[in-house]
Amino acid sequence: MYTRKVKLYSGFERFWHWTQALLIIFLALSGFEVHGVYTLFGYEKAVIWHDYAAWAFLVLIVFAIFWHITTGAWRQYIPTTRFIKAQLDYYLFGIFRNVPHPTRKTTLSKLNPLQRLTYFGLKVLVIPVQVISGFLYLYYHQAEQAGLHFSSLSGIALWHTFGAFLLVAFLFFHIYLATTGTPWTSNIKAMITGWEDVELSMDEVKEEAYPNVVKASEMGYYFLDRDGYIRDVNAAWLRIYGYTSAGEVVGRHSSITRNPEDAPLLKDMLDQVLAGEKIESRIVERVGKDGQQGKHLLTAHPVYISGEIAGMAGFIVDVKNKKEPV
Amino acid sequence: MKKIFVITVMLILMSGNSAAVPGQQTISYKGDRELKAAHKPSTDHSKLKELQRTFNSPEEVTVACESCHTERHKEIMATNHWTWERPEKVDGKLVDLGKKNVINNFCIALTSNEPRCTSCHIGYGWKDKTFDFSDKKKVDCLVCHDRTGTYKKFPTGAGYPVTKETLFMGTKKSFPPDYTKIAQNVGIPTRDNCGTCHFFGGGGNNVKHGDMEKALSKPSGDIDVHMAVDGENMLCIDCHVTTKHNIKGKMYSVSSADTNHVYCESCHAAPVHAHTVLEEHSQRVACQTCHIPTYARANPTKMWWDWSKAGRFDKNGKGIIIKNRMGEQDYNYMKGEFRWEKNVVPEYKWFNRTAGHTLVTDSIDPGKIVQLNRLNGSYADKSAKIWPVKVMRGKQIYDSEYKTLIIPKLFGKKESGAYWKNFDWNLAAEKGMKEAGLPYSGHYGFVQTEMYWPLNHMVAPKNKALTCTDCHSREGRLANLTDFYLPGRDRSKTLDMLGSILILLAIGGSLTHGIIRIVTKSK
């Protein structure tokens, strides 16, 4: 309903994601050539480049681990069972009925429960299996010379093949699921630009709207301190009083807004409010800029700061003398 | 944050470099040895008075040589070229190997056939077991040191050249050598000197080795990169380094232990490959495996010899000889049936550079193929490497009662009982075994045998070496070497099938899901 552009993925995160994506795709292409499935780069190049890519991947992993730890982003991947059924239901049924996503993306929780579980599995099981089996595969002779004994390369190779199949299957699911955002490109765009339109909760909407309620209101707003000095007014207040800028009135005593004979009334009202009372509505006569006279309806309430009444604030609405045509 | 990117990128690039190995190929000759091919003799033998005379026999030449080179015959007599005998350990026990004692599946054995076989002995007159191996007059200096190319030992002459113009097998003419000219022109052995015997082992060009033949006399680079006349032009003895007439190198057909050998690595010091992965292959793959992609590249070699088919005559009583398109015999009434192949893809074996042998005294199982020599090694044996091998196969005579191989008398006069005159296997077996001092039951049969000849020569230029997928593919050259996991060849079919199903499910599932999404959204 209400959305806001949010920086969801930092620069490093995007660099990591896309570098990892390219490396995994390249490792899969070259790896399955080494596995004897097809001819693409030529066997020798496939082997050599697969090895280089493996090292690049390892370096990337080291940086990614550092980043996850230092930024606390690792917490994103702690698996949770909350909403996991809802997420599954969504993918299996809800998505076809245009039901909204059951979980919301926020900067604090970018991943839905299924993603958390899958990525956790990848990071804790599949990728370590791939890296360890891969480097044992690559440095098989050296490992043997260092005293590790394998009856054959086959165990290592089979684990590595197993991991490769899981990663490729993941890749296809991942690419497809990336299109399940609304619109379908939103997730992909976000991973490229870092920004995404994230849906706001009503609390977030309110939080954002409230400060503007006073500023943008057509009711005049005022705030007097305990001694009756004007501390804050809004644009509507200035318009009603005929002033052009807050600087003309802020810091001056509120008595300038009344005829001298009405000043005690204002003082009484202030005292009342400072005593804790509220004024629901009252029509008063005002003195605006250059002595202009007028009437307005006002409200008043005490302003509490740190539990103490620090002044009086309220809203005013101009009351026209001549009747408006109905 | 940007700094992190830069550092990451740098590290990724650097890691790529660190995995590579310095890209230079090094050929380092150990020591400062010069190639013998460039050898200039220090003595002009034509100026020596001892040689300015006529010689009536080859022994007279030998005496003349030894009158200056007074001690060389002692060196010669200590070598296998002279003794044809090698006491070596086979399966833990000391046995006499060497040409004199082993059984092969070409002309089978030396004993009782000496005058024919010993035409390649570096001596004169080894016509039977009475030959005196201590007679220094009998040393043949010229066969190795002749530089005129005119010195020829006669095929059936027990090591002697002919004394008058003679025909061999009614075709090849032999002439008595001009000893004076030859003696005055001696020098270090060239490829042709070694080749005069070693190219023609088994009774014809390239019959035995497959990787050693007359094309190596003046080979092109494609035939042999080392000896190429338009390249390094190396001599045999450039690799087969010789000290006191002891020439390094020996074949596993007649020897067992890994001693006194020549290795590629003697000159090509590691690392020789530009990339680590390739270099690591040398731990388990012999240089020869990739660098001798095929053998018998110039002329065919004999792959099969079936003695059991010998002895056929046409209706006129003339021995049958059938020639094939390559000009080689597919059948010869004296020897049986042959198969020849050219440009042969080797067979590959694990080999730890020790070999076993089936001796004439060993029991055999005629129900199985008898391995006359065995290359030891397996994947589990860390000292074994994959070697290219010529496997010679055939059928030969054995004692069907005593279950041993038989030394037949093949060559000789009719009254000696020789097979090639009488075509009587029983008689040939009896005579041969008697000569060898071994029992013969009187019953013979033919058993299939195999012989393993590791390949070392005809090293191809590097652009002709094998490439990865020659072996790293489903049906590659190592398809029969199954005791280890070979990337690109091996896989778990179950795992591959399950993995493929998983990937298909991922693709199919995604597509189906996506189509349903599109259909339901459009409603």
Side-chain angles (χ1 to χ4, degrees):
Chain A
M1 212 170 17
Y2 297 103
T3 60
R4 175 165 56 194
K5 272 203 180 307
V6 174
K7 183 77 176 275
L8 214 50
Y9 305 110
S10 71
F12 175 79
E13 205 171 8
R14 283 176 285 141
F15 166 78
W16 167 57
H17 173 270
W18 289 112
T19 313
Q20 177 165 268
L22 284 177
L23 285 173
I24 286 179
I25 290 167
F26 178 75
L27 283 163
L29 286 175
S30 55
F32 277 103
E33 175 163 14
V34 174
H35 191 54
V37 179
Y38 46 73
T39 304
L40 182 63
F41 305 107
Y43 202 88
E44 184 173 1
K45 289 197 173 79
V47 170
I48 293 171
W49 292 348
H50 192 82
D51 297 350
Y52 288 167
W55 272 104
F57 195 31
L58 189 69
V59 171
L60 187 66
I61 286 172
V62 169
F63 274 84
I65 288 173
F66 179 76
W67 178 83
H68 276 89
I69 292 172
T70 51
T71 60
W74 59 274
R75 290 192 188 88
Q76 300 270 348
Y77 300 94
I78 301 169
T80 168
T81 50
R82 279 186 68 205
F83 301 119
I84 204 157
K85 196 177 164 297
Q87 190 69 37
L88 264 175
D89 276 351
Y90 171 74
Y91 282 135
L92 291 177
F93 310 108
I95 191 169
F96 305 125
R97 294 190 220 115
N98 297 334
V99 169
H101 282 261
T103 50
R104 289 183 324 110
K105 241 183 234 183
T106 67
T107 43
L108 289 177
S109 172
K110 298 175 211 174
L111 305 175
N112 73 46
L114 271 182
Q115 283 178 306
R116 279 177 180 246
L117 195 66
T118 310
Y119 299 169
F120 181 78
L122 280 180
K123 285 167 175 241
V124 170
L125 291 173
V126 182
I127 289 181
V129 161
Q130 275 315 72
V131 169
I132 292 167
S133 64
F135 276 89
L136 283 177
Y137 201 145
L138 181 51
Y139 293 105
Y140 178 69
H141 292 295
Q142 288 82 345
E144 278 204 321
Q145 279 161 5
L148 281 171
H149 287 294
F150 309 104
S151 57
S152 143
L153 184 61
S154 97
I156 295 168
L158 294 186
W159 275 108
H160 201 62
T161 314
F162 174 66
F165 277 122
L166 288 186
L167 277 173
V168 171
F170 163 77
L171 189 69
F172 282 111
F173 275 129
H174 184 67
I175 291 170
Y176 172 68
L177 289 173
T179 67
T180 57
T182 320
W184 70 274
T185 51
S186 65
N187 288 328
I188 299 155
K189 268 189 193 153
M191 196 42 97
I192 294 169
T193 62
W195 292 92
E196 183 166 359
D197 289 329
V198 167
E199 211 168 296
L200 295 178
S201 68
M202 210 50 229
D203 282 344
E204 284 171 318
V205 173
K206 288 179 198 164
E207 223 169 85
E208 192 147 325
Y210 275 13
N212 294 321
V213 167
V214 172
K215 271 188 200 149
S217 172
E218 281 303 302
M219 297 177 93
Y221 167 79
Y222 67 90
F223 171 36
L224 308 182
D225 67 15
R226 290 185 69 97
D227 298 324
Y229 285 94
I230 299 168
R231 288 300 166 202
D232 188 18
V233 292
N234 71 357
W237 190 94
L238 292 173
R239 174 178 51 74
I240 291 166
Y241 271 89
Y243 291 101
T244 48
S245 81
E248 292 174 76
V249 288
V250 170
R252 300 182 68 183
H253 196 266
S254 57
S255 56
I256 62 157
T257 65
R258 295 290 184 271
N259 289 315
E261 62 270 24
D262 291 339
L265 287 174
L266 184 58
K267 176 79 169 73
D268 288 349
M269 191 168 71
L270 180 61
D271 289 343
Q272 257 179 294
V273 171
L274 291 178
E277 286 184 42
K278 291 175 184 167
I279 311 295
E280 205 172 286
S281 75
R282 178 174 296 176
I283 291 174
V284 296
E285 287 189 6
R286 66 172 181 267
V287 177
K289 192 179 179 184
D290 303 331
Q292 295 169 20
Q293 302 276 320
K295 279 186 185 173
H296 61 256
L297 181 75
L298 69 74
T299 68
H301 60 271
V303 175
Y304 290 87
I305 291 173
S306 307
E308 300 284 320
I309 294 173
M312 178 178 84
F315 293 89
I316 63 170
V317 185
D318 188 33
V319 179
K320 307 273 194 231
N321 278 330
K322 61 173 184 192
K323 288 198 170 165
E324 303 266 343
V326 178
Chain B
M1 196 58 86
K2 270 185 186 153
K3 270 183 193 164
I4 293 180
F5 292 179
V6 173
I7 294 168
T8 312
V9 171
M10 276 172 57
L11 275 171
I12 289 169
L13 291 175
M14 279 161 59
S15 72
N17 287 337
S18 70
V21 137
Q24 255 190 327
Q25 169 160 355
T26 49
I27 295 180
S28 66
Y29 295 101
K30 285 187 178 169
D32 51 4
R33 173 166 78 78
E34 275 187 18
L35 293 185
K36 286 275 167 76
H39 178 78
K40 296 273 186 300
S42 55
T43 303
D44 180 352
H45 281 76
S46 68
K47 292 178 179 163
L48 300 180
K49 279 198 187 65
E50 288 83 347
L51 303 180
Q52 291 165 355
R53 51 166 284 205
T54 51
F55 296 97
N56 297 315
S57 71
E59 283 97 333
E60 285 183 18
V61 183
T62 301
V63 170
C65 297
E66 289 169 352
S67 68
C68 293
H69 303 280
T70 57
E71 307 302 310
R72 292 302 192 205
H73 64 280
K74 292 180 188 161
E75 296 173 6
I76 284 291
M77 288 175 171
T79 70
N80 294 129
H81 272 113
W82 178 257
T83 61
W84 282 17
E85 196 167 45
R86 266 191 192 110
E88 284 195 14
K89 268 195 176 157
V90 177
D91 303 330
K93 58 179 195 248
L94 196 69
V95 293
D96 272 344
L97 296 175
K99 286 180 96 65
K100 198 162 96 180
N101 304 306
V102 297
I103 301 280
N104 67 36
N105 52 8
F106 296 88
C107 286
I108 304 179
L110 172 77
T111 306
S112 78
N113 302 306
E114 283 86 350
R116 179 70 183 92
C117 305
T118 55
S119 63
C120 267
H121 184 242
I122 55 160
Y124 300 119
W126 183 1
K127 63 183 196 314
D128 54 36
K129 59 185 171 188
T130 62
F131 180 68
D132 182 2
F133 284 93
S134 64
D135 186 349
K136 65 179 188 177
K137 288 200 303 293
K138 298 294 182 188
V139 174
D140 181 351
C141 306
L142 299 180
V143 71
C144 300
H145 294 284
D146 166 40
R147 296 295 296 265
T148 66
T150 62
Y151 181 81
K152 294 280 181 294
K153 288 152 88 78
F154 192 67
T156 60
Y160 280 107
V162 291
T163 49
K164 57 179 193 296
E165 204 178 302
T166 313
L167 274 181
F168 175 63
M169 300 290 286
T171 49
K172 283 180 218 156
K173 222 178 239 183
S174 290
F175 302 95
D178 179 350
Y179 290 116
T180 307
K181 185 182 165 202
I182 292 166
Q184 288 183 1
N185 284 287
V186 291
I188 58 157
T190 63
R191 294 191 291 267
D192 287 334
N193 292 101
C194 304
T196 191
C197 285
H198 292 281
F199 293 165
F200 302 97
N205 182 50
N206 209 18
V207 167
K208 261 186 184 165
H209 290 266
D211 62 342
M212 271 211 278
E213 58 130 320
K214 63 185 179 190
L216 295 183
S217 172
K218 291 181 183 64
S220 66
D222 278 353
I223 297 295
D224 191 300
V225 76
H226 294 109
M227 298 194 271
V229 284
D230 53 352
E232 295 295 324
N233 202 13
M234 288 165 72
L235 299 180
C236 305
I237 54 172
D238 282 322
C239 293
H240 293 272
V241 180
T242 304
T243 320
K244 296 185 188 300
H245 281 95
N246 175 16
I247 300 173
K248 260 194 198 303
K250 55 181 194 175
M251 199 59 190
Y252 286 97
S253 49
V254 292
S255 67
S256 171
D258 181 23
T259 52
N260 202 31
H261 271 138
V262 174
Y263 307 102
C264 305
E265 295 88 340
S266 306
C267 292
H268 299 275
V272 291
H273 300 103
H275 196 270
T276 336
V277 177
L278 210 51
E279 183 69 16
E280 276 171 13
H281 278 69
S282 59
Q283 291 180 27
R284 298 312 302 271
V285 180
C287 311
Q288 289 88 333
T289 298
C290 301
H291 292 280
I292 307 176
T294 57
Y295 61 95
R297 287 204 290 276
N299 293 297
T301 185
K302 200 171 277 187
M303 303 298 291
W304 170 259
W305 185 329
D306 181 356
W307 280 100
S308 72
K309 304 261 174 74
R312 288 183 195 162
F313 296 84
D314 63 19
K315 51 185 184 260
N316 303 321
K318 193 166 175 277
I320 294 172
I321 290 175
I322 301 167
K323 283 198 175 181
N324 61 25
R325 254 182 291 163
M326 294 183 281
E328 305 292 350
Q329 294 179 351
D330 280 345
Y331 182 82
N332 183 315
Y333 69 105
M334 291 170 73
K335 297 175 177 177
E337 182 190 79
F338 306 133
R339 276 206 294 275
W340 299 80
E341 281 178 44
K342 203 180 151 180
N343 215 13
V344 194
V345 172
E347 294 181 40
Y348 297 93
K349 304 280 171 196
W350 286 108
F351 183 33
N352 65 11
R353 301 200 296 218
T354 67
H357 291 267
T358 301
L359 305 173
V360 68
T361 47
D362 290 339
S363 298
I364 59 164
D365 177 358
K368 288 181 184 160
I369 295 171
V370 176
Q371 294 180 318
L372 297 181
N373 70 337
R374 305 176 294 281
L375 305 184
N376 299 323
S378 65
Y379 174 76
D381 176 352
K382 299 283 179 212
S383 62
K385 293 184 182 186
I386 295 168
W387 277 73
V389 181
K390 173 190 171 178
V391 184
M392 177 64 189
R393 296 184 167 89
K395 282 185 181 173
Q396 66 194 89
I397 189 168
Y398 81 104
D399 189 317
S400 54
E401 203 176 313
Y402 294 161
K403 307 278 188 274
T404 61
L405 293 165
I406 281 176
I407 296 172
K409 180 161 180 65
L410 298 169
F411 177 83
K413 296 200 168 73
K414 193 172 170 65
E415 54 271 27
S416 72
Y419 181 79
W420 285 339
K421 287 287 189 289
N422 300 287
F423 298 96
D424 179 346
W425 278 119
N426 196 43
L427 186 62
E430 187 198 311
K431 295 291 182 188
M433 291 302 267
K434 193 180 168 198
E435 179 75 8
L438 292 165
Y440 170 56
S441 70
H443 304 282
Y444 68 89
F446 289 87
V447 64
Q448 197 173 327
T449 59
E450 278 179 356
M451 216 178 163
Y452 293 83
W453 295 74
L455 298 166
N456 290 295
H457 304 96
M458 291 196 174
V459 172
K462 65 177 174 186
N463 60 354
K464 298 275 170 68
L466 295 191
T467 56
C468 309
T469 46
D470 283 314
C471 299
H472 293 279
S473 56
R474 299 278 181 253
E475 297 299 327
R477 291 187 174 211
L478 299 185
N480 293 326
L481 221 55
T482 52
D483 62 343
F484 69 108
Y485 183 94
L486 179 64
R489 178 192 72 178
D490 293 329
R491 58 188 164 152
S492 156
K493 280 188 178 159
T494 317
L495 177 61
D496 276 18
M497 194 181 69
L498 292 175
S500 307
I501 290 172
L502 182 67
I503 290 174
L504 287 177
L505 281 178
I507 297 171
S510 298
L511 283 177
T512 314
H513 196 271
I515 288 165
I516 299 174
R517 248 171 81 207
I518 292 166
V519 169
T520 53
K521 286 253 162 84
S522 63
K523 270 180 192 171

